[in-house]
Amino acid sequence: MVGAWAVAGVCGQLVLVGVNALVLADGGGGAISVVTALRFLGMSASPTAFTGLYRHDPVLGFVVPAAVLAATVPLAAVRSKNLP
């Protein structure tokens, strides 16, 4: 479990670096502030959203956020293809 957690942390950091690099590659210095603000909002809202799940069943505290993420990524990809 510790190894999986460590690998997930490394992968998460690589995703963050990738997003920051994509934002900065287009010269969007101000856009990085938006990305960072949204990351902060998500991190600060998640305890409120998922603490009840942790109390009910610790597995749900991990499965539900993973399911939300798994559903959001394909929707975001489809939406980005439809933008001009």
Side-chain angles (χ1 to χ4, degrees):
M1 182 65 137
V2 172
W5 195 261
V7 170
V10 169
C11 291
Q13 288 302 314
L14 291 173
V15 168
L16 292 176
V17 169
V19 168
N20 289 341
L22 286 173
V23 169
L24 292 174
D26 293 335
I32 195 71
S33 295
V34 173
V35 170
T36 305
L38 291 176
R39 280 182 45 214
F40 178 77
L41 177 66
M43 286 186 273
S44 64
S46 64
T48 303
F50 299 119
T51 298
L53 293 173
Y54 290 129
R55 288 185 191 159
H56 181 68
D57 185 6
V59 174
L60 286 177
F62 291 97
V63 171
V64 171
V68 169
L69 180 63
T72 303
V73 170
L75 291 174
V78 168
R79 183 175 176 197
S80 69
K81 285 183 180 180
N82 293 333
L83 293 176

